[in-house]
Amino acid sequence: MNTIQFFDTTLRDGEQTPGVNFNTKEKVQIAKQLEKWGIDTIEAGFPIASVGDFEAVKAIAESAEKMTVAGLARCQKADIDRAHEALQNAKHPQIHVFLATSPVHMEFKLKMTPDEVIASIKEHVSYARSKFEKVQFSPEDATRTEKQFLLKAVQTAIDAGATIINVPDTVGYSNPTEYGALFKFLIENIQSDQEIIFSSHCHDDLGMATANALAAIENGARRVEGTINGIGERAGNTALEEVALALYIRKDFYNAQSNILLNETKRTSDLVSRLSAVAVPRNKAIIGANAYAHESGIHQDGVLKNPDTYEIITPSLVGVNENSLPLGKLSGRHAFATKMEALGYQLTEEELKDAFKRFKSLADKKKQVTEDDLIALMVGQAQECSEDYRLERVQLQYVSDGSQGAIVSINTGEDESKTESAIGSGSIQAIYNSIDKIFVQKPELQEYYIKAITGGEDAQAEVHVTLADSENNKQFNGIGIDFDVLQASAKAYVKASEQFQKEAGRA
C-alpha cells in the first residue's frame, strides 16, 4: 500500500478565508492538534507577510515534535531568508517556494516573460536548496499553464534542488480527468536521479477539490494538500478530512493509507471551526451534524436492522460519540488536571488555575460536564486571554410588547472600562447597539449563528457572528461561548468588533 502524506495549510491558505484571523496562541493550539491528528507537514504561515506570521511560524517550529514545519516564500531571496530565520529551530524544517507559470499570471501579475520566469525558478530554488534540505516548488496556476512550459518549469525546479513538486489548481479550474492526466504527464516526463514527491493542491470553486485530489492520488501523487473543514480562499480548499476517510473507506480502490488518526477527526474539525468562527454546515461530509442522522423511515428501518445498510462510516470512527465525563461540581483539581492532560492540553500552573475556576463555575450550572464542554471551555479561555477588549457586564431590561434595553460594559485595555446603553427590537439587537456605541462603529451584521455544544436544556451556547465593513466589504468573524446565550452573543460581537477596530486603525 502507498502511504499518502498529508500537508495541512489551514494556518496559511485557510487563514485567507474572509474574516478569519488566528493569533499566535491559537495557531500553536491548532498545530498541536494537527500533529495529534497525524499531519505529516504543516504549512505554518508566510513568514515575510507580517511580524505576526513570522512569530507564529517560529512558535510552531519550536513546538512541533514529529511533523515537518513549512514556511511559504515567493521566488525572492528576502522571502527565503525570512522563512529560514523563522524555521531555524524546527526539528524538521521545509520551505515552500512558488512562482506563477500561467500566461495570464505571467503577463498581468508578474509582468515577466516565460524565460524570465524559468531563470527566476532556477535562481531561487537553488538559493532555497542552499538553506533547506527539503525544498518544495509550486508553479502557481499550474492547471491553466501550457503543458510543455509547465514541464519545463517543473524540470528546472527539480534540477535546482526541489524534491517536492506541488501542482496547484489555484483557481479551482480543473476536473478529475484533466487533473489526474496532468500528474501522469509530469511524472512520466520528468528526469531525476532522486525520488520526487508530487503533491496536489486544489481549490473548490467548481466543487471538485476533493475529487481532484483523489484523482491526483490515482495518478501518482503521494502528497495531498488542503485544510480542515475545507476553509480557504474564495470557495475554499480540499477538505483533508474527506480525503482521509475516502482513502480509508475505499482502500480497496485507492490501495493507499495515511498517518491520520481518524478518531481525532471531529475534535480537530471542532477546534478549527471554533477558533476560526466559521461554522461547519450541517450537511458537510464526514463531520457535519447530519452526517450520521437518518430521517427517512426506510433508512431508519435499515439502520436499526444493520447499520451497514446506510452507513459506510461509523460515527465512532471519526470521533463522534456520546462520551460523557464524570466530572461535576464536587470534582477536585487533580481529577480535572488529569482529564485535561488526557485531552491533550499542557497547561501552565496559571492556566490550570484559571481553567479550573471556569470549570467549577460551569459545573455549578450544568448537571453533567462533557468532553465537548471542556474543549469549548479551553477555546473560550484561549480567546479571552488574547483579546484586547473584554466583556465585563451585560444588563438587560425586557418588555414583552415593547423595545428591549441593554447596558453593556467593556474593558478596553489598561483597566479602562466603558459603558453604554441602547435599545433594540430584541435583546440581541439592544446588546449589539450598545457595543456599537462603545466602539463608535456601524458595521453590517451579516451572519448570526447559534448552536448548542451539547444536548439538553443546560447546554453551553456557541455563537458565531460575521460583521462587514460597508466601506471595503471586509469581513470579521467572532465566536462566543458561554452557558448563557445572551452572554455568548455579546462575547462573539466583541470579538468581531475587535478585529473591525484593528482594521480601521483604532486599536
Side-chain angles (χ1 to χ4, degrees), residues 400-475:
S400 61
D401 58 352
S403 296
Q404 314 309 317
I407 303 174
V408 178
S409 297
I410 296 175
N411 187 307
T412 56
E414 298 181 358
D415 294 325
E416 180 185 359
S417 182
K418 291 186 178 180
T419 300
E420 287 287 357
S421 62
I423 60 172
S425 56
S427 298
I428 300 296
Q429 189 181 71
I431 292 170
Y432 288 0
N433 288 342
S434 299
I435 295 172
D436 285 342
K437 288 179 71 174
I438 290 175
F439 288 121
V440 194
Q441 63 184 18
K442 290 185 178 180
E444 176 189 350
L445 178 60
Q446 288 195 332
E447 291 185 14
Y448 175 89
Y449 174 84
I450 182 171
K451 71 175 183 178
I453 292 173
T454 55
E457 62 182 16
D458 61 352
Q460 287 194 88
E462 179 177 306
V463 175
H464 298 248
V465 301
T466 299
L467 303 183
D469 187 335
S470 58
E471 294 183 1
N472 56 26
N473 292 321
K474 286 193 174 182
Q475 295 179 330

Side-chain angles (χ1 to χ4, degrees), residues 298-371:
I298 294 174
H299 286 220
Q300 291 172 347
D301 178 66
V303 169
L304 288 171
K305 291 174 178 175
N306 185 333
D308 289 344
T309 54
Y310 288 103
E311 284 186 356
I312 61 170
I313 308 167
T314 59
S316 60
L317 179 64
V318 296
V320 176
N321 54 52
E322 299 298 328
N323 184 24
S324 61
L325 178 68
L327 285 184
K329 63 181 181 180
L330 299 179
S331 298
R333 179 187 172 99
H334 181 259
F336 175 77
T338 300
K339 184 60 186 179
M340 297 312 297
E341 187 174 342
L343 288 175
Y345 292 98
Q346 298 174 341
L347 306 177
T348 65
E349 186 62 29
E350 191 61 31
E351 289 172 334
L352 179 60
K353 181 180 178 180
D354 188 16
F356 184 65
K357 181 180 178 181
R358 289 168 179 257
F359 160 71
K360 295 293 279 188
S361 176
L362 179 62
D364 280 335
K365 301 171 184 175
K366 281 183 65 73
K367 298 175 183 177
Q368 185 180 49
V369 178
T370 68
E371 286 188 1

Side-chain angles (χ1 to χ4, degrees), residues 245-265:
L245 265 294
L247 294 181
Y248 177 81
I249 297 297
R250 293 306 312 274
K251 51 183 173 283
D252 61 315
F253 180 81
Y254 293 106
N255 192 35
Q257 60 186 0
S258 72
N259 294 319
I260 297 298
L261 298 179
L262 297 179
N263 61 0
E264 288 291 329
T265 301

Side-chain angles (χ1 to χ4, degrees), residues 88-105:
Q88 60 184 337
N89 294 326
K91 293 181 175 64
H92 309 286
Q94 177 196 302
I95 191 167
H96 179 190
V97 181
F98 73 97
L99 187 64
T101 54
S102 67
V104 66
H105 276 239

Side-chain angles (χ1 to χ4, degrees), residues 4-8 37-42 217 222-226 239-245 247 257-260:
I4 304 302
Q5 298 177 11
F6 273 60
F7 177 108
D8 181 271
W37 191 48
I39 286 296
D40 299 285
T41 301
I42 181 173
I217 291 171
R222 290 176 49 211
R223 171 181 279 191
V224 58
E225 300 188 8
L240 289 181
E241 67 275 4
E242 294 177 6
V243 178
L245 265 294
L247 294 181
Q257 60 186 0
S258 72
N259 294 319
I260 297 298

